Amino acid sequence: GAVDLIPLHPLTETVSLEDCAFLANDIAKEIILQEPRVSFFLYGSADTENRGLINRRKQIGWFEGEIKAPPDLGDFHPACGITGIGTSYYMTNFNIIINTTDMKIGTQILKAIREKTGGFKGVSAMAFPYQGGIEIACNVDMFTDDPIDNQHVTEIMPGVFRTKFSSIQNVVERICKEHGTSIRDNSMVIGFTPEEAARRTEIALNSRIPDYYKLNINEIRM
């Protein structure tokens, strides 16, 4: 769409997914009033069926570039495309570069850290060549299920948890050591942690500087 995605995330315990869902619907309807050619599909808690973003994109035809289902709000116009708007808990990108080009090592790491292969809760990941090594790119989602292993989990808000970045890094280091290689000295969180996002949002609102989040952006190195 003219705008690909408008995601809303609760960043403090005083805001719920339901609050964000109500706001997401309100925002979409207000934009359509101002620009009737814009249309939206809903995902997460803003969607009545609570369908995830990837599933909604597949259903809409986003990956094919051809609309296969009608928008949830508004009427589709090719000039403006279709925009996703919805709510979910915050996701943080955590990337690690390892000093090898052997993709078998990257694949072994993925199996060890991904939730779907028995790794860490809320972690999905990819491995690809990067600057003469392999980058392990992780999406680390927050979750509400009671953690089975508290050792590897931190509580972000009451009842909302996230796998520790240090736990992911420790597994990567261990597997690298087994293969006689190592991680580079620049493991990093790309973008903002939920804590930093909440801090910057509060400053932006209080100072009435909506673009505050763009100021002094630095990668947070571990």
Side-chain angles (χ1 to χ4, degrees):
V3 174
D4 176 38
L5 189 67
I6 304 176
L8 281 76
H9 311 288
L11 296 176
T12 70
E13 60 189 276
T14 60
V15 180
S16 68
L17 283 174
E18 290 72 24
D19 294 331
C20 291
F22 180 83
L23 187 58
N25 276 272
D26 250 15
I27 290 171
K29 291 173 183 176
E30 181 63 29
I31 292 174
I32 291 170
L33 283 176
Q34 296 182 30
E35 177 46 79
R37 295 178 301 168
V38 174
S39 60
F40 293 89
F41 70 86
L42 304 172
Y43 73 92
S45 297
D47 174 43
T48 55
E49 298 178 37
N50 200 29
R51 292 168 290 185
L53 176 59
I54 292 176
N55 286 337
R56 292 297 288 129
R57 280 176 163 168
K58 289 179 179 177
Q59 292 163 355
I60 289 292
W62 187 89
F63 293 104
E64 293 84 2
E66 180 179 343
I67 298 300
K68 298 190 295 186
D72 296 312
L73 296 169
D75 298 315
F76 176 73
H77 291 269
C80 293
I82 187 168
T83 295
I85 187 168
T87 66
S88 63
Y89 284 114
Y90 194 85
M91 182 272 292
T92 305
N93 296 322
F94 179 59
N95 293 10
I96 299 177
I97 301 169
I98 60 176
N99 292 313
T100 180
T101 57
D102 187 347
M103 193 56 71
K104 290 181 180 179
I105 300 175
T107 300
Q108 183 180 346
I109 289 171
L110 295 182
K111 289 181 179 179
I113 63 176
R114 283 172 168 167
E115 178 181 7
K116 68 179 183 180
T117 49
F120 296 113
K121 179 74 174 177
V123 175
S124 56
M126 298 173 59
F128 49 85
Y130 183 74
Q131 294 183 350
I134 295 174
E135 182 169 41
I136 309 297
C138 305
N139 289 344
V140 187
D141 286 304
M142 300 198 296
F143 55 91
T144 56
D145 302 336
D146 287 336
I148 297 174
D149 188 352
N150 289 323
Q151 176 185 357
H152 299 298
V153 168
T154 184
E155 190 170 25
I156 304 300
M157 296 181 284
V160 181
F161 307 91
R162 185 193 65 212
T163 291
K164 294 177 180 178
F165 302 128
S166 58
S167 293
I168 300 171
Q169 184 166 338
N170 288 341
V171 169
V172 176
E173 286 180 332
R174 173 178 57 79
I175 293 174
C176 283
K177 187 175 181 180
E178 290 172 359
H179 291 276
T181 187
S182 62
I183 67 171
R184 289 189 188 166
D185 246 353
N186 58 351
S187 294
M188 64 192 77
V189 176
I190 304 298
F192 303 132
T193 62
E195 301 88 342
E196 179 64 11
R199 187 186 73 82
R200 286 176 176 260
T201 298
E202 184 177 1
I203 293 174
L205 291 171
N206 290 337
S207 63
R208 298 187 178 183
I209 304 175
D211 287 344
Y212 178 84
Y213 73 95
K214 295 180 181 179
L215 305 177
N216 300 317
I217 292 179
N218 292 307
E219 295 169 338
I220 303 172
R221 301 186 182 276
M222 303 295 289

